[in-house]
Amino acid sequence: MNKARAIVMSGLLALSMAGSVTGVSAAEVNANANVGDKVRVLIEASSSSPSGVSTMSQSKSQLNSAKATYGKRWEFSNGNAFTTDMTEKQFTALQKNKNLKVTKVDEVSVAADLRAAKKPGTVGALAEYPTQQVPWGIKAIYNNSGLTTTTGGAGINVAVLDTGVNVNHLDLVNTVEQCKDFTTSAGLTNGQCNDANGHGTHVAGSALADGGSDGAGVYGVAPDSDLWAYKVLGDDGSGYSDDIAAAIRHAADQATATGTKTVINMSLGSSANNSLISSAVDYAYGKGVLVVAAAGNSGFRAGTIGYPGALRNAIAVAALENRLENGTLRVADFSSRGYTATDGDYVIGVGDIEISAPGAAIYSTWNNGGYNTISGTSMASPHVAGLAAKVWAQNPTWTAATLRTNLQNRAKANDILGGRGAAVGDDYASGFGFARVQ
């Protein structure tokens, strides 16, 4: 093609590489994370005093007083809990109130591993065209090495909860339906989801990039689906669990309000379970939303899957490499593993890998309007989210539970035998197997 592509720059291009993507190995719960000179705090009404005497009425009064004093960021538990920002001194003082339970909010980070990526700050000048239009992972999930374009996902929303998305990227701009920021001081901000990190834009591209209006860009799994770009993580790739929980609940409520099918993708995680996020995942699943999450990059030891991927109502996705071992693709060593005790049971419990998908050396859209190659279960998860959107669009009467069973059956039909812990049937490395389009 002779005509050069017009590249639309992100509003904060100068900061596009300021925050590097951090791996799950460093994505531990950080109870001391600050917002400026403040900390994020969860304040809950306590139903009883240490002596066991019921004090709910008094607790509610104290809760409302604290809400008026510090301001409310997000509300949970039917109004019996809320999050806010305060100084360390205020936090310490409020902990002495026996009518309230006051704890610091957990911090969660992206689930990407940069081993196969360019180092931060070394992404080259924007290319007029991508070096590849259908990356290896997309070809693999379609089971078609000669694939030149992709289709599917019409009418299905893919909510990408991440560092934001460059919604002006040529290969994503036509897919955007919602752009919202849950990290601002005001809480939810509509029409804003800037990605100064790159991670969220990369994830979105694997799920639903449509090649651009000229058809010369990169393709994701389900290019006809609608993108809900929800910024829940900061430019450094980390964020607070209350923002993530609020976004999960919002996506579920939006799905109900619009009467549409929605898949949530969370390429993020923490080593510890978080009650705000786990209850939000249950809420979304109960509303008929399918939740897909990265397994984490703490492999290859058993029992290393991060949350929310480890939850029963989330599909935990392992990462595959583009190389064969024992006749199949190989589970990457960095990909977190489930528990050996549950091998072969084909039952999903807490801490189980469910499905595998391409996650090593994945080429996709980047926040500077160009493209980048990075690795991690963060990259595997959107392949499954895109597949889910594509299959759901073909079967719009299905429930999320029926869709999940179908994805499991597709995985069973393509067993993974390569990688540490991979074996015939359900195993703690690859789960049920590699779910594909065909």
Side-chain angles (χ1 to χ4, degrees):
M1 295 184 182
N2 294 323
K3 186 174 77 171
R5 302 185 80 202
I7 301 296
V8 181
M9 303 284 281
S10 163
L12 290 180
L13 180 60
L15 300 177
S16 63
M17 294 306 300
S20 63
V21 179
T22 55
V24 154
S25 58
E28 304 295 22
V29 173
N30 179 2
N32 295 312
N34 289 350
V35 179
D37 61 345
K38 294 187 175 182
V39 292
R40 183 69 54 79
V41 173
L42 172 65
I43 303 175
E44 303 171 83
S46 178
S47 60
S48 63
S49 68
S51 62
V53 178
S54 176
T55 58
M56 180 53 78
S57 177
Q58 190 173 359
S59 293
K60 285 285 290 184
S61 176
Q62 292 289 318
L63 186 75
N64 291 332
S65 176
K67 197 177 297 183
T69 300
Y70 302 107
K72 176 188 71 176
R73 183 172 181 82
W74 305 112
E75 199 164 60
F76 299 97
S77 302
N78 297 318
N80 290 319
F82 74 98
T83 57
T84 189
D85 296 327
M86 63 178 61
T87 65
E88 283 279 3
K89 186 175 181 180
Q90 290 170 324
F91 169 70
T92 301
L94 196 58
Q95 280 189 307
K96 298 175 183 178
N97 189 326
K98 302 303 181 182
N99 293 308
L100 299 173
K101 180 181 179 183
V102 185
T103 55
K104 289 182 180 178
V105 172
D106 297 338
E107 190 177 1
V108 179
S109 299
V110 297
D113 185 317
L114 288 182
R115 270 175 251 176
K118 299 173 183 177
K119 293 180 180 179
T122 65
V123 176
L126 297 180
E128 292 181 351
Y129 296 97
T131 58
Q132 50 186 297
Q133 286 194 268
V134 185
W136 82 264
I138 306 302
K139 291 180 178 179
I141 204 165
Y142 269 79
N143 194 25
N144 183 352
S145 60
L147 193 68
T148 57
T149 60
T150 59
T151 60
I156 309 299
N157 312 307
V158 178
V160 174
L161 277 57
D162 215 287
T163 59
V165 175
N166 177 0
V167 294
N168 291 319
H169 195 292
L170 289 180
D171 302 344
L172 295 172
V173 65
N174 296 322
T175 70
V176 181
E177 185 171 278
Q178 293 188 15
C179 169
K180 301 183 179 184
D181 191 341
F182 292 79
T183 68
T184 67
S185 58
L188 172 59
T189 302
N190 283 302
Q192 176 178 307
C193 56
N194 182 68
D195 179 16
N197 181 290
H199 186 271
T201 303
H202 193 281
V203 166
S206 291
L208 45 65
D210 68 355
S213 297
D214 58 1
V218 157
Y219 287 90
V221 181
D224 300 319
S225 51
D226 297 315
L227 173 61
W228 288 3
Y230 287 4
K231 182 178 178 66
V232 299
L233 302 176
D235 297 341
D236 63 350
S238 64
Y240 288 105
S241 57
D242 61 329
D243 293 342
I244 297 167
I248 295 169
R249 289 176 177 272
H250 184 77
D253 290 340
Q254 285 288 287
T256 299
T258 58
T260 54
K261 308 291 188 182
T262 300
V263 179
I264 291 176
N265 183 86
M266 288 187 284
S267 293
L268 47 80
S270 166
S271 61
N273 192 7
N274 176 273
S275 61
L276 294 179
I277 294 178
S278 62
S279 63
V281 168
D282 291 343
Y283 177 82
Y285 200 68
K287 289 271 191 176
V289 172
L290 189 73
V291 180
V292 182
N297 301 333
S298 298
F300 47 89
R301 301 185 318 278
T304 54
I305 299 177
Y307 289 86
L311 299 171
R312 282 191 179 89
N313 285 335
I315 296 176
V317 185
L320 298 173
E321 298 175 331
N322 187 21
R323 63 185 177 115
L324 298 178
E325 184 176 286
N326 298 324
T328 72
L329 293 177
R330 184 182 189 278
V331 181
D333 283 347
F334 64 74
S335 186
S336 292
R337 265 62 169 177
Y339 296 103
T340 57
T342 60
D343 273 4
D345 63 3
Y346 285 109
V347 175
I348 296 301
V350 173
D352 279 343
I353 291 289
E354 190 159 342
I355 291 174
S356 299
I362 300 300
Y363 186 79
S364 186
T365 48
W366 199 244
N367 66 330
N368 62 357
Y371 306 90
N372 197 11
T373 300
I374 58 178
S375 297
T377 55
S378 274
M379 288 61 253
S381 184
H383 282 79
V384 173
L387 176 62
K390 182 178 176 68
V391 174
W392 216 349
Q394 296 168 340
N395 304 275
T397 62
W398 283 2
T399 64
T402 301
L403 174 62
R404 185 177 187 178
T405 298
N406 179 267
L407 295 175
Q408 292 173 348
N409 289 335
R410 288 170 184 266
K412 289 179 183 178
N414 188 35
D415 200 11
I416 294 297
L417 305 175
R420 299 171 188 256
V424 175
D426 176 27
D427 63 65
Y428 75 106
S430 67
F432 290 15
F434 178 20
R436 301 186 301 194
V437 171
Q438 56 188 14

